[in-house]
Structures are given as C-alpha cells and as structure tokens.
Amino acid sequence: MATQPPHPALALLSQAHDPSTASQIFSDSIKHRPLLLRPSSPDPTSATNARSARRSARRKRSLEAYHAFKKTHKSGRSSLTRKPRPLSAKAKRQLGVHDIGEGEKKWGLYTELHQLWCGYMREVLALDDEGKGGQRKLGPDFVGPMVASADFHGAVVRVVRSGCVGRVGIRGIVVKDTKFIFEVVTKGDKLKVLPKEGTVFRVEVPRSGDALGEMVEGQREERLVVEVYGEQFMTSAPDRANKKFKMHIDPGL
C-alpha cells in the first residue's frame, strides 16, 4: 500500500527546522488553524424571508393608508382643502356663541363703543356740517329713514312706552340688536332684554360729545332726540341697512 506524501507545508518546514519542531509548528499553525471563508452569495433561504417581510410591510402600509383615506376623504376631497362647515343657528345657541358673559355686563366696557356710535350717527345725519354752509334741515323726512336704517349697537336708549309698565324708564347701552329684541347694559351693570314689539324707545344723538349722562334742561339744544317704535324695527341690523323705509302712521299707536 502506497504511503501518502507529506503535506507541502510540512516538507518546507522540515527544511528549516528539525523534525519535531517542524511537526509542532505544522500542527499548531496550519493543520488545526480555523479557515474563515466569506460566502460568495447570500443564503437563498434568508433572501426569500427578507423579500417576504418587505412585501408584508408594504401591504400593511397600504392598508393603513387606505383606511386613513376613507376616514378623511369621505366626500372625495382632501380635508386640507375642504372648508369647515359653519355652525348652525341651533348649534350657536347651544354653545352660547353670542351670549354675553357675566364679566361683560359692565357699563364701563361699552362707553367707548357709545362714543364711536355718536360719531357714526353725526356722520349719518350730517350734524358736523351744520353752520358750514352745508346745513341740512333735520326734518322727519330726512331723519326718519336715516335713523331707521342705522345700526344701534352702542346707542343709549330709554324705554318711554311699553306694554309692560315694569320696563318703562329702563335706560342703557345697546350691546345686542337682534330681529326681535334689544339687549342693553344699564349703569347698574345689569343686562336687560327689551322686546321691540309694543315698545317705544327714545334715542339721543348728541351734536358733540356723548349721551352717557342724563339730559338736563340746558342740553335740549345740544342733543337730537328721536323716538323709535320697536314694531317698525323688527329686523336685524344688517337687514335694516339695505331696507328702504317710508313715512307712514302706525294704526296701533
């Protein structure tokens, strides 16, 4: 039986060392040394698992995006471009959007609003042009339609006639002018709701300054006094601005 030829590395080591030393070096450094090899291609099984994981992740993301789209695009338009629906009148009443809070029922909060209203009415009635060559006769034919179409937010009104005698004499600044009521804040910091139906209001337009104080005898020439019949004012302020009023006598008065 033919003997196996020695390992080439052992033959080379035998030429440089004695046989025992060459055998020890060959055994420790060459024969029992681990050979670490890097694979030339990935494991097919691992590649298949990775592809499956990526496919599952894409499918999951697609489903999540689809459900999110269904929730936010019910009408077929993007929620970023769709305008929010305005609140209905019922929702506004339930939320108290136009209610006046307890901290807002203060006479002092609305004095500046009244001063703005006085300037607004002087401009509407052309009171600033008196004595400058542009004086206009303040007759009922001119003052009536102008006052009837004016905005009363900030006006100081007094109840001079009413179907409820308990309301006669109430005086305050108008803070809310709706179709059927005036809401006024009195000097006692109380909010009063005054229905327009069956009520006559007195409005004072000062030729200068404001009408916050009570009118005394010497101020009659300084203020234009107008009586407003609430039943003829049963429209909201924006609607009155575009409405044409005509002089007529109310048969109920």
Side-chain angles (χ1 to χ4, degrees), residues 1-61:
M1 184 176 181
T3 60
Q4 187 176 2
H7 195 278
L10 180 59
L12 292 174
L13 288 172
S14 299
Q15 296 178 5
H17 303 281
D18 57 274
S20 60
T21 304
S23 298
Q24 184 178 358
I25 294 174
F26 176 76
S27 177
D28 296 341
S29 302
I30 297 176
K31 186 176 181 180
H32 298 292
R33 181 180 179 182
L35 182 61
L36 303 178
L37 299 178
R38 182 178 180 182
S40 58
S41 61
D43 186 6
T45 306
S46 300
T48 303
N49 294 338
R51 284 196 299 270
S52 300
R54 289 195 297 269
R55 193 179 300 113
S56 299
R58 283 197 301 268
R59 188 181 299 110
K60 183 178 180 180
R61 288 195 298 269

Coordinates of all heavy atoms in Angstrom, one line a residue, residues 1-61:
M1 N 0.8 -1.2 0.0 CA 0.0 0.0 0.0 C 0.9 1.2 0.0 O 1.8 1.4 0.8 CB -0.9 0.0 1.2 CG -1.9 1.1 1.2 SD -3.0 1.0 2.7 CE -4.0 2.5 2.3
A2 N 0.6 2.1 -0.9 CA 1.5 3.3 -1.1 C 1.2 4.3 0.1 O 0.1 4.5 0.5 CB 1.2 4.0 -2.4
T3 N 2.3 4.9 0.5 CA 2.2 5.8 1.6 C 1.8 7.2 1.1 O 2.1 7.6 -0.1 CB 3.5 6.0 2.4 OG1 4.5 6.4 1.4 CG2 3.9 4.6 3.0
Q4 N 1.0 8.0 1.9 CA 0.6 9.3 1.5 C 1.7 10.3 1.5 O 2.4 10.3 2.5 CB -0.6 9.7 2.4 CG -1.3 11.0 1.9 CD -2.5 11.4 2.8 OE1 -2.7 10.6 3.8 NE2 -3.1 12.4 2.5
P5 N 1.9 11.1 0.5 CA 3.0 12.0 0.5 C 2.8 13.1 1.6 O 1.7 13.4 2.0 CB 3.0 12.6 -0.9 CG 1.6 12.4 -1.3 CD 1.2 11.2 -0.7
P6 N 3.9 13.6 2.2 CA 3.7 14.6 3.3 C 3.1 15.9 2.7 O 3.2 16.2 1.5 CB 5.2 14.8 3.8 CG 6.0 14.4 2.6 CD 5.3 13.3 1.9
H7 N 2.6 16.6 3.6 CA 1.9 17.9 3.3 C 3.0 18.9 2.8 O 4.1 18.9 3.3 CB 1.2 18.5 4.5 CG 0.3 19.6 4.1 ND1 0.7 20.9 3.9 CD2 -1.1 19.6 4.0 CE1 -0.4 21.7 3.7 NE2 -1.5 20.9 3.7
P8 N 2.8 19.6 1.7 CA 3.8 20.5 1.2 C 4.3 21.5 2.3 O 5.5 21.8 2.3 CB 3.1 21.3 0.1 CG 2.0 20.4 -0.3 CD 1.6 19.6 0.9
A9 N 3.4 22.0 3.1 CA 3.9 22.9 4.2 C 4.8 22.3 5.2 O 5.8 22.8 5.6 CB 2.7 23.5 4.9
L10 N 4.5 21.0 5.5 CA 5.4 20.2 6.4 C 6.7 20.0 5.8 O 7.8 20.1 6.5 CB 4.7 18.9 6.8 CG 5.5 18.0 7.8 CD1 5.8 18.7 9.1 CD2 4.7 16.7 8.0
A11 N 6.8 19.7 4.5 CA 8.1 19.5 3.8 C 8.9 20.8 3.8 O 10.1 20.7 4.0 CB 7.8 19.0 2.4
L12 N 8.3 21.9 3.6 CA 9.0 23.2 3.7 C 9.5 23.5 5.1 O 10.6 24.0 5.3 CB 8.1 24.3 3.2 CG 7.8 24.3 1.7 CD1 6.8 25.4 1.4 CD2 9.0 24.4 0.8
L13 N 8.7 23.2 6.1 CA 9.1 23.4 7.5 C 10.2 22.5 7.9 O 11.1 22.9 8.7 CB 7.9 23.2 8.4 CG 6.8 24.3 8.4 CD1 5.6 23.9 9.2 CD2 7.4 25.7 8.9
S14 N 10.3 21.3 7.4 CA 11.3 20.3 7.7 C 12.7 20.7 7.2 O 13.7 20.4 7.8 CB 11.0 18.9 7.1 OG 9.8 18.4 7.7
Q15 N 12.7 21.5 6.1 CA 13.9 22.0 5.6 C 14.5 23.1 6.5 O 15.7 23.4 6.4 CB 13.7 22.6 4.2 CG 13.3 21.5 3.2 CD 13.1 22.1 1.8 OE1 13.3 23.3 1.5 NE2 12.6 21.2 0.9
A16 N 13.7 23.8 7.2 CA 14.2 24.9 8.1 C 14.3 24.5 9.5 O 15.0 25.2 10.3 CB 13.3 26.1 7.9
H17 N 13.6 23.5 10.0 CA 13.6 23.1 11.4 C 13.9 21.6 11.5 O 13.8 20.9 10.5 CB 12.3 23.5 12.1 CG 11.9 24.9 12.0 ND1 12.5 25.9 12.8 CD2 11.1 25.6 11.1 CE1 12.0 27.1 12.4 NE2 11.1 26.9 11.4
D18 N 14.2 21.2 12.7 CA 14.3 19.8 13.0 C 12.9 19.1 12.9 O 11.9 19.8 13.0 CB 15.0 19.5 14.3 CG 14.2 20.2 15.5 OD1 14.4 21.4 15.7 OD2 13.3 19.5 16.0
P19 N 12.8 17.8 12.7 CA 11.5 17.2 12.5 C 10.5 17.4 13.6 O 9.3 17.6 13.4 CB 11.9 15.7 12.4 CG 13.3 15.7 11.9 CD 14.0 16.9 12.5
S20 N 10.9 17.4 14.9 CA 9.9 17.6 16.0 C 9.4 19.0 16.0 O 8.2 19.3 16.2 CB 10.6 17.3 17.3 OG 11.7 18.1 17.6
T21 N 10.3 20.0 15.8 CA 9.8 21.4 15.8 C 8.9 21.7 14.6 O 7.9 22.4 14.7 CB 11.0 22.3 15.8 OG1 11.9 22.1 16.9 CG2 10.6 23.8 15.8
A22 N 9.3 21.1 13.4 CA 8.5 21.3 12.2 C 7.1 20.7 12.4 O 6.1 21.3 12.0 CB 9.2 20.7 11.0
S23 N 7.0 19.5 13.0 CA 5.7 18.9 13.2 C 4.9 19.7 14.2 O 3.6 19.8 14.0 CB 5.9 17.5 13.8 OG 6.7 16.7 12.9
Q24 N 5.5 20.3 15.2 CA 4.7 21.1 16.2 C 4.2 22.4 15.5 O 3.0 22.7 15.7 CB 5.6 21.4 17.4 CG 4.8 22.2 18.5 CD 5.7 22.4 19.7 OE1 6.9 22.0 19.7 NE2 5.1 23.1 20.7
I25 N 5.0 23.0 14.8 CA 4.6 24.3 14.1 C 3.5 23.9 13.1 O 2.5 24.7 13.0 CB 5.8 24.9 13.4 CG1 6.8 25.4 14.5 CG2 5.3 26.1 12.6 CD1 8.1 26.0 13.9
F26 N 3.6 22.9 12.4 CA 2.6 22.5 11.4 C 1.3 22.2 12.0 O 0.2 22.6 11.5 CB 3.1 21.3 10.6 CG 2.1 20.8 9.6 CD1 1.9 21.4 8.4 CD2 1.4 19.6 9.9 CE1 0.9 20.9 7.5 CE2 0.5 19.1 9.0 CZ 0.2 19.8 7.8
S27 N 1.4 21.5 13.2 CA 0.1 21.1 13.9 C -0.6 22.3 14.5 O -1.8 22.4 14.4 CB 0.5 20.1 14.9 OG -0.7 19.7 15.7
D28 N 0.2 23.2 15.1 CA -0.5 24.4 15.8 C -0.9 25.5 14.8 O -2.0 26.1 15.0 CB 0.5 25.0 16.8 CG 0.8 24.0 17.9 OD1 0.0 23.0 18.1 OD2 1.9 24.1 18.6
S29 N -0.1 25.8 13.8 CA -0.4 27.0 13.0 C -1.0 26.7 11.7 O -1.6 27.6 11.1 CB 1.0 27.7 12.7 OG 1.6 28.1 13.9
I30 N -1.0 25.4 11.2 CA -1.5 25.1 9.9 C -2.6 24.1 9.9 O -3.7 24.3 9.4 CB -0.4 24.7 8.9 CG1 0.7 25.8 8.8 CG2 -0.9 24.3 7.6 CD1 1.9 25.4 8.0
K31 N -2.3 23.0 10.5 CA -3.3 21.9 10.4 C -4.6 22.1 11.2 O -5.7 21.9 10.7 CB -2.6 20.6 10.9 CG -3.5 19.4 10.8 CD -2.7 18.1 11.2 CE -3.6 16.9 11.0 NZ -2.9 15.6 11.4
H32 N -4.4 22.7 12.4 CA -5.6 22.9 13.3 C -6.1 24.4 13.3 O -6.9 24.8 14.1 CB -5.3 22.5 14.7 CG -5.0 21.1 14.9 ND1 -5.9 20.1 14.7 CD2 -3.8 20.4 15.1 CE1 -5.4 18.9 14.8 NE2 -4.1 19.1 15.1
R33 N -5.6 25.2 12.4 CA -6.0 26.6 12.3 C -7.4 26.7 11.6 O -7.5 26.1 10.5 CB -5.0 27.4 11.5 CG -5.3 28.9 11.4 CD -4.2 29.6 10.6 NE -4.6 31.0 10.5 CZ -3.8 31.9 9.8 NH1 -2.7 31.5 9.2 NH2 -4.2 33.2 9.7
P34 N -8.3 27.4 12.2 CA -9.7 27.5 11.5 C -9.6 28.4 10.3 O -8.9 29.4 10.2 CB -10.5 28.2 12.6 CG -9.6 28.9 13.5 CD -8.3 28.1 13.5
L35 N -10.3 28.0 9.3 CA -10.3 28.7 8.0 C -11.6 29.4 7.9 O -12.7 28.8 7.8 CB -10.1 27.7 6.8 CG -10.1 28.3 5.4 CD1 -8.9 29.3 5.3 CD2 -10.0 27.2 4.4
L36 N -11.6 30.8 7.9 CA -12.8 31.6 7.9 C -13.0 32.0 6.4 O -12.2 32.7 5.8 CB -12.6 32.8 8.8 CG -12.3 32.5 10.2 CD1 -12.1 33.8 11.0 CD2 -13.4 31.7 10.9
L37 N -14.1 31.5 5.9 CA -14.4 31.8 4.5 C -15.6 32.7 4.4 O -16.6 32.6 5.1 CB -14.7 30.5 3.7 CG -13.5 29.5 3.6 CD1 -13.9 28.3 2.9 CD2 -12.3 30.2 2.9
R38 N -15.6 33.7 3.5 CA -16.8 34.6 3.3 C -17.6 34.1 2.1 O -17.0 33.8 1.0 CB -16.3 36.0 3.0 CG -17.4 37.0 2.7 CD -16.9 38.4 2.5 NE -17.9 39.4 2.2 CZ -17.7 40.6 1.9 NH1 -16.5 41.1 1.8 NH2 -18.7 41.4 1.8
P39 N -18.9 33.8 2.3 CA -19.7 33.3 1.2 C -19.7 34.2 0.0 O -19.8 35.4 0.2 CB -21.0 33.0 1.9 CG -21.1 34.0 3.0 CD -19.7 34.1 3.5
S40 N -19.7 33.7 -1.1 CA -19.7 34.5 -2.3 C -21.1 35.0 -2.7 O -21.3 35.9 -3.4 CB -19.2 33.7 -3.5 OG -19.9 32.5 -3.7
S41 N -22.2 34.4 -2.1 CA -23.6 34.8 -2.4 C -24.4 34.5 -1.1 O -24.0 33.6 -0.3 CB -24.2 34.0 -3.5 OG -24.1 32.6 -3.2
P42 N -25.5 35.3 -0.9 CA -26.3 35.1 0.4 C -27.0 33.8 0.3 O -27.2 33.2 -0.7 CB -27.2 36.3 0.3 CG -27.3 36.7 -1.1 CD -26.0 36.4 -1.7
D43 N -27.5 33.5 1.5 CA -28.2 32.2 1.6 C -29.6 32.4 0.9 O -30.3 33.4 1.2 CB -28.4 31.9 3.1 CG -29.1 30.6 3.3 OD1 -29.3 29.9 2.3 OD2 -29.5 30.3 4.5
P44 N -29.9 31.6 0.0 CA -31.2 31.7 -0.7 C -32.4 31.8 0.3 O -33.4 32.5 0.0 CB -31.3 30.5 -1.6 CG -29.9 30.1 -1.8 CD -29.2 30.4 -0.5
T45 N -32.4 31.0 1.3 CA -33.5 31.0 2.3 C -33.6 32.4 3.0 O -34.7 32.9 3.2 CB -33.2 29.9 3.3 OG1 -33.0 28.7 2.7 CG2 -34.4 29.8 4.3
S46 N -32.5 33.0 3.4 CA -32.5 34.3 4.0 C -33.1 35.3 3.1 O -33.8 36.2 3.5 CB -31.1 34.7 4.5 OG -30.6 33.7 5.4
A47 N -32.7 35.3 1.8 CA -33.1 36.3 0.9 C -34.7 36.2 0.7 O -35.4 37.2 0.6 CB -32.4 36.1 -0.5
T48 N -35.2 34.9 0.6 CA -36.6 34.7 0.5 C -37.4 35.3 1.7 O -38.4 35.9 1.5 CB -36.9 33.3 0.3 OG1 -36.2 32.8 -0.8 CG2 -38.4 33.0 0.1
N49 N -36.9 35.0 2.9 CA -37.5 35.6 4.1 C -37.5 37.1 4.1 O -38.5 37.7 4.5 CB -36.8 35.0 5.3 CG -37.0 33.5 5.4 OD1 -37.9 32.9 4.9 ND2 -36.1 32.9 6.2
A50 N -36.4 37.7 3.7 CA -36.4 39.2 3.6 C -37.4 39.7 2.7 O -38.0 40.7 2.9 CB -34.9 39.6 3.3
R51 N -37.5 39.1 1.5 CA -38.4 39.6 0.5 C -39.9 39.5 1.0 O -40.7 40.4 0.8 CB -38.3 38.8 -0.8 CG -37.1 39.3 -1.7 CD -37.2 38.8 -3.1 NE -37.2 37.3 -3.1 CZ -36.2 36.5 -3.2 NH1 -34.9 37.1 -3.3 NH2 -36.3 35.2 -3.3
S52 N -40.2 38.4 1.7 CA -41.5 38.2 2.2 C -41.8 39.2 3.3 O -42.9 39.8 3.4 CB -41.6 36.8 2.8 OG -41.4 35.8 1.8
A53 N -40.8 39.6 4.1 CA -41.0 40.6 5.2 C -41.3 41.9 4.6 O -42.2 42.7 5.0 CB -39.8 40.6 6.1
R54 N -40.5 42.3 3.5 CA -40.7 43.6 2.9 C -42.1 43.6 2.2 O -42.8 44.7 2.3 CB -39.6 43.8 1.9 CG -38.2 44.1 2.5 CD -37.3 44.7 1.5 NE -37.0 43.8 0.4 CZ -36.0 42.9 0.4 NH1 -35.2 42.9 1.4 NH2 -35.8 42.1 -0.7
R55 N -42.5 42.6 1.6 CA -43.8 42.5 1.0 C -44.9 42.7 2.0 O -45.9 43.4 1.8 CB -43.9 41.2 0.2 CG -45.1 41.2 -0.8 CD -45.2 39.9 -1.5 NE -44.0 39.6 -2.3 CZ -43.2 38.7 -2.1 NH1 -43.4 37.8 -1.0 NH2 -42.1 38.5 -2.8
S56 N -44.8 42.0 3.1 CA -45.8 42.1 4.2 C -45.9 43.6 4.7 O -47.0 44.1 5.0 CB -45.5 41.1 5.3 OG -45.5 39.8 4.8
A57 N -44.7 44.2 4.9 CA -44.7 45.5 5.4 C -45.3 46.5 4.4 O -46.1 47.4 4.9 CB -43.2 46.0 5.7
R58 N -45.1 46.3 3.1 CA -45.7 47.2 2.1 C -47.2 47.0 2.1 O -48.0 48.0 2.0 CB -45.1 46.9 0.7 CG -43.7 47.5 0.5 CD -43.4 47.5 -1.0 NE -43.5 46.2 -1.6 CZ -42.4 45.4 -1.7 NH1 -41.2 45.8 -1.2 NH2 -42.6 44.2 -2.3
R59 N -47.7 45.8 2.2 CA -49.1 45.5 2.3 C -49.8 46.1 3.5 O -50.9 46.7 3.4 CB -49.4 44.0 2.2 CG -50.8 43.6 2.1 CD -51.0 42.1 2.1 NE -50.3 41.5 1.0 CZ -49.3 40.7 1.2 NH1 -48.8 40.5 2.4 NH2 -48.7 40.1 0.1
K60 N -49.1 46.1 4.6 CA -49.6 46.7 5.8 C -49.7 48.2 5.7 O -50.7 48.8 6.1 CB -48.8 46.3 7.0 CG -49.3 46.8 8.4 CD -48.4 46.3 9.5 CE -48.9 46.8 10.8 NZ -48.1 46.4 12.0
R61 N -48.7 48.8 5.2 CA -48.7 50.3 5.0 C -49.8 50.7 4.0 O -50.5 51.7 4.2 CB -47.3 50.8 4.5 CG -46.3 50.7 5.6 CD -45.1 51.6 5.2 NE -44.5 51.1 3.9 CZ -43.5 50.2 3.9 NH1 -43.0 49.7 5.1 NH2 -43.0 49.8 2.8

